[in-house]
């Protein structure tokens, strides 16, 4: 299968380049800058990403361009463009001031295949400290902005381009067109990577790989593990056994509802209610990391005990997706939070790992789910952390606190699903591009607030109390914080600008109906510097 290789120099937007290429129905792999696959006949082109480094930084990432130059079409983006220019004899210097934000192309070479279909004055997004002041011999400028002379260049007579701006970000209005020009016209992609082709080839591969073997899979109720299960079920039917552990800190009624959904989908699922064990082990524990560690440990114990009963199992399947695996260049190397997923099965079980979604981005997983005929409410479900509401209750955890939070969260989430908004123009296009099913009528679509945001949830601030008054009674109870964020991959996130009338209604509903809560706040922090979850 044809593929584009994206060499990652550590930019925050490298994954976004990958998503844009996939949106062109073209397969791509993101690899660390120094891991170019020498002899892969499927490679049709190479993109060099941006980087937090300057080319002059002693720690800057460098590659030997000889391994790719002349063999494949190359597109360097930001640092990628500077690196090629610097290495091949041009000059890169610190810009008088950091170029950040929107700019317009004042000139561009209209006949250049990279700019086919571009409009005069097209808006691009810049974010760089250095700038290319002289190009290598034989290179020509093919686009400029008011302040950036070499906004784009090409090596004459060669399929080698560099752009100083970021075509992968939304604010480069014709960025996707530029990438299409490169990937489809220049590299020759046949655009045959689609959800349907993925399902067909993956089901066939799974049949061949698994034969008559039995497979175990840990379900979480989330979209990734659910889609993985349905895909495997299609390949091997009842030889897939799924295990769904209820740790007692799921959303209200979630365990029962999700078990119902799985049954309708024909999955062979063992549901394990282990909530008592989790509550007992968490009693009195207040430290966030310790809570996470206990839940991770208990989860593995409960899962293993069930898995061991399936004595003839040969494989452990997981819903791991591409962003979980990308060997990203973590410049700081610090752990912010320990995330727990299924893992640590006893070695004596000798299970092999099967990860059918390991090449997919989240929006592609959703498309595959739709292709498999899964219900929309399972596919569009927001991500939910493995430790569940435990990381949304400050301080120690008790069944009563979980109950209070479940009630508040349920009112909030139902409200988000019921509140519809009309979108048009760029906003509508963005929501549709993310795969949200909606009909466009007169240039407008109607979607729920729930479908417009990446993730939402309520947090019980149970270490805080405040005074209120209800009827004639003084109350002294806990606040609940509401969180809703927009994001593409949870690496960065912005708080969602929810309508005031919606917030007013939810706040009243929660305070009137949830005993133990007398105040509602809205979390207006972005990530970074905050994180999505509070713990
Ligand atoms: P943070 O809080 O780190 O969350 O900004 C980023 C994303 O990860 C989810 N999350 C988890 N997912 N196990 C998971 O499977 C975990 O332990 C876990 N902790 C956070 C979080 O909901 C958000 O989508």
């Amino acid at each position: 299968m044809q593929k584009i290789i994206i060499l990652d120099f550590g930019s925050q937007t490298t994954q976004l380049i990958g998503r844009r290429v996939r949106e062109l129905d073209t397969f791509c792999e993101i690899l660390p800058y120094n891991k170019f696959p020498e002899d892969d006949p499927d490679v049709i082109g190479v993109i060099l990403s941006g980087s937090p480094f300057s080319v002059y930084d002693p720690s800057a990432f460098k590659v030997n361009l000889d391994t790719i130059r002349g063999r494949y079409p190359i597109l360097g983006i930001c640092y990628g463009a500077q690196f090629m220019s610097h290495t091949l004899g041009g000059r890169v210097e610190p810009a008088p001031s950091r170029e950040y934000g929107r700019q317009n192309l004042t000139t561009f070479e209209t006949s250049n295949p990279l700019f086919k279909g571009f409009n005069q004055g097209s808006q691009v997004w810049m974010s760089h400290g250095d700038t290319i002041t002289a190009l290598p011999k034989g290179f020509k400028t093919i686009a400029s902005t008011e302040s950036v002379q070499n906004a784009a260049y090409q090596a004459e007579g060669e399929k080698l381009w560099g752009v100083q701006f970021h075509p992968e970000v939304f604010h480069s209005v014709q960025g996707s067109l530029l990438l299409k020009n490169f990937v489809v016209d220049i590299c020759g992609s046949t655009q045959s990577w689609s959800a349907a082709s993925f399902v067909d080839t993956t089901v066939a591969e799974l049949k061949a790989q698994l034969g008559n073997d039995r497979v175990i899979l840990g379900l979480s109720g989330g979209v990734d593990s659910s889609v993985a299960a349905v895909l495997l079920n299609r390949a091997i039917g009842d030889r897939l056994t799924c295990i769904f552990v209820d740790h007692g800190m799921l959303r209200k009624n979630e365990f029962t509802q999700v078990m119902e959904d799985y049954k309708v989908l024909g999955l062979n699922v063992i549901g394990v209610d282990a909530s008592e064990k989790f509550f007992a082990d968490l009693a009195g524990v207040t430290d966030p990391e310790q809570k996470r560690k206990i839940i991770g440990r208990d989860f593995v114990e409960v899962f293993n005990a069930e898995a061991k009963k399936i004595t003839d199992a040969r494989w452990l399947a997981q819903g791991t997706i591409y962003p979980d695996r990308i060997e990203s260049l973590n410049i700081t190397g610090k752990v912010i939070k320990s995330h727990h997923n299924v893992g640590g099965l006893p070695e004596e079980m000798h299970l092999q790992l099967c990860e059918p979604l390991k090449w997919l981005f989240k929006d592609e997983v959703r498309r595959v789910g739709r292709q498999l005929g899964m219900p929309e409410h399972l596919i569009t479900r927001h991500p939910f952390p493995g430790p569940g509401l435990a990381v949304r209750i400050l301080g120690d955890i008790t069944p009563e606190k979980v109950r209070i939070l479940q009630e508040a969260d349920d009112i909030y989430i139902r409200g988000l699903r019921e509140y519809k908004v009309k979108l048009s123009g760029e906003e509508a296009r963005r929501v549709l591009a993310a795969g949200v099913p909606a009909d466009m009528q007169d240039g407008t679509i109607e979607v729920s607030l729930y479908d417009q945001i990446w993730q939402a949830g309520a947090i019980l601030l149970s270490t805080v109390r405040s005074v209120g008054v209800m009827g004639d009674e003084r109350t002294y109870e806990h606040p609940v914080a509401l969180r809703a964020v927009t994001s593409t991959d949870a690496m960065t996130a912005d708080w969602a600008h929810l309508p005031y009338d919606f917030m007013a209604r939810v706040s009243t509903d929660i305070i009137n109906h949830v005993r133990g809560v007398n105040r509602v706040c809205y979390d207006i922090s972005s990530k970074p510097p905050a994180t999505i979850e509070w713990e």
Side-chain angles (χ1 to χ4, degrees):
M1 183 193 354
Q2 293 183 319
K3 64 171 93 152
I4 297 282
I5 297 293
I6 299 162
L7 290 181
D8 181 15
F9 289 86
S11 163
Q12 292 217 347
T13 57
T14 305
Q15 278 202 36
L16 212 47
I17 304 173
R19 288 168 51 87
R20 295 286 172 262
V21 174
R22 294 283 182 89
E23 280 164 19
L24 295 166
D25 298 328
T26 304
F27 185 67
C28 63
E29 274 183 53
I30 298 173
L31 297 172
Y33 67 99
N34 55 358
K35 297 263 174 73
F36 188 80
E38 278 295 313
D39 293 312
D40 186 338
D42 293 333
V43 178
I44 57 168
V46 184
I47 297 178
L48 310 184
S49 85
S51 171
F53 291 120
S54 150
V55 291
Y56 294 110
D57 201 309
S59 331
F61 300 132
K62 298 183 173 71
V63 291
N64 179 1
L65 288 171
D66 293 343
T67 52
I68 48 175
R69 188 174 176 195
R71 290 176 66 196
Y72 309 99
I74 305 175
L75 174 65
I77 295 178
C78 195
Y79 174 90
Q82 293 174 0
F83 175 76
M84 288 198 291
S85 177
H86 173 70
T87 315
L88 300 173
R91 199 165 59 238
V92 174
E93 292 178 282
S97 63
R98 202 179 147 77
E99 308 273 356
Y100 185 82
R102 295 175 176 82
Q103 292 199 17
N104 297 88
L105 295 183
T106 43
T107 56
F108 64 88
E109 194 179 88
T110 46
S111 59
N112 198 288
L114 199 63
F115 288 114
K116 192 173 110 189
F118 258 60
N119 301 330
Q120 284 303 330
S122 193
Q123 178 184 297
V124 294
W125 182 260
M126 295 281 183
S127 174
H128 57 109
D130 288 348
T131 196
I132 301 166
T133 48
L135 291 173
K137 205 158 155 267
F139 282 37
K140 61 175 174 178
T141 303
I142 56 168
S144 309
T145 68
E146 210 170 273
S147 54
V148 182
Q149 161 71 15
N150 293 306
Y153 65 73
Q154 183 183 5
E156 274 179 287
E158 270 188 65
K159 291 187 174 179
L160 184 154
W161 287 263
V163 290
Q164 181 58 74
F165 53 89
H166 286 270
E168 70 279 19
V169 308
F170 173 69
H171 301 290
S172 286
V173 174
Q174 293 188 291
S176 291
L177 175 63
L178 185 144
L179 289 172
K180 177 168 181 270
N181 290 340
F182 179 70
V183 169
V184 180
D185 295 355
I186 295 170
C187 299
S189 162
T190 52
Q191 297 189 281
S192 38
W193 166 261
S194 67
S197 72
F198 174 82
V199 170
D200 289 348
T201 43
T202 310
V203 167
E205 277 168 18
L206 287 171
K207 279 185 175 157
Q209 180 187 27
L210 304 172
N212 289 322
D213 292 351
R214 182 165 288 286
V215 180
I216 308 175
L217 179 141
L219 281 172
S220 68
V223 58
D224 303 343
S225 62
S226 305
V227 171
V230 176
L231 200 54
L232 275 153
N233 181 260
R234 193 162 281 191
I236 62 165
D238 261 7
R239 289 196 305 284
L240 169 72
T241 307
C242 305
I243 301 172
F244 183 19
V245 177
D246 181 5
H247 51 32
M249 284 153 285
L250 296 171
R251 292 196 140 115
K252 186 179 174 185
N253 299 330
E254 191 172 16
F255 187 64
T256 336
Q257 273 169 10
V258 172
M259 283 298 283
E260 252 333 287
D261 283 335
Y262 287 151
K263 290 222 173 84
V264 172
L265 286 167
L267 297 180
N268 170 18
V269 190
I270 301 170
V272 190
D273 177 358
S275 44
E276 273 187 30
K277 175 181 172 61
F278 283 85
F279 281 122
D281 292 348
L282 283 168
V285 179
T286 55
D287 177 67
E289 274 300 286
Q290 218 189 332
K291 283 195 224 171
R292 282 175 170 274
K293 295 231 157 72
I294 291 170
I295 294 170
R297 184 203 63 202
D298 281 6
F299 192 92
V300 170
E301 268 176 43
V302 174
F303 187 85
N304 287 357
E306 281 309 315
K308 272 184 170 171
K309 294 179 194 162
I310 306 162
T311 49
D312 58 342
R314 291 274 182 82
W315 298 82
L316 173 72
Q318 289 187 336
T320 320
I321 68 170
Y322 198 32
D324 302 334
R325 302 169 46 239
I326 295 177
E327 239 186 283
S328 62
L329 302 166
N330 185 347
I331 313 279
T332 66
K334 290 195 185 110
V335 174
I336 309 292
K337 287 179 194 177
S338 44
H339 286 198
H340 298 291
N341 291 311
V342 182
L345 274 180
E347 278 190 8
E348 75 261 23
M349 288 184 74
H350 300 300
L351 294 180
Q352 301 179 70
L353 204 56
C354 169
E355 297 175 313
L357 307 179
K358 66 181 177 186
W359 291 112
L360 303 190
F361 288 101
K362 194 91 181 176
D363 53 333
E364 294 174 317
V365 174
R366 293 197 161 119
R367 273 188 212 125
V368 167
R370 287 194 183 101
Q371 181 70 29
L372 289 164
M374 292 170 65
E376 206 51 40
H377 68 268
L378 260 187
I379 292 172
T380 53
R381 176 166 290 182
H382 288 165
F384 187 66
L389 299 181
V391 292
R392 295 182 182 171
I393 294 175
L394 305 192
D396 69 323
I397 292 162
T398 63
E400 176 58 7
K401 288 182 188 171
V402 171
R403 189 201 58 76
I404 294 174
L405 184 55
Q406 279 177 336
E407 294 300 329
D409 178 78
D410 185 53
I411 292 172
Y412 180 37
I413 298 296
R414 269 191 294 125
L416 287 168
R417 284 191 185 280
E418 283 160 17
Y419 193 102
K420 306 283 183 209
V421 275
K422 285 192 175 4
L423 301 177
S424 58
E426 205 47 60
E427 268 187 323
R429 272 196 290 284
R430 194 161 21 138
V431 169
L432 290 173
V436 175
D439 289 330
M440 177 83 82
Q441 274 179 0
D442 301 330
T444 307
I445 57 168
E446 193 179 80
V447 285
S448 69
L449 276 181
Y450 184 91
D451 283 335
Q452 257 196 292
I453 55 186
W454 167 267
Q455 190 172 1
I459 301 101
L460 183 65
L461 310 189
S462 47
T463 50
V464 178
R465 269 169 186 259
S466 76
V467 173
V469 57
M470 256 197 149
D472 292 333
E473 297 288 315
R474 173 189 191 265
T475 59
Y476 188 48
E477 292 174 332
H478 302 299
V480 153
L482 303 181
R483 181 101 166 110
V485 294
T486 53
S487 177
T488 48
D489 53 12
M491 303 287 286
T492 60
D494 195 6
W495 59 277
H497 296 211
L498 298 180
Y500 278 179
D501 62 329
F502 168 76
M503 295 212 263
R505 194 189 314 162
V506 169
S507 162
T508 311
D509 279 356
I510 291 177
I511 294 171
N512 285 351
H513 294 109
V514 185
R515 289 192 57 180
V517 175
N518 65 349
R519 221 169 261 268
V520 172
C521 315
Y522 189 58
D523 181 348
I524 52 166
S525 351
S526 304
K527 172 183 180 175
T531 52
I532 295 177
E533 304 297 343
W534 276 46
E535 290 201 336

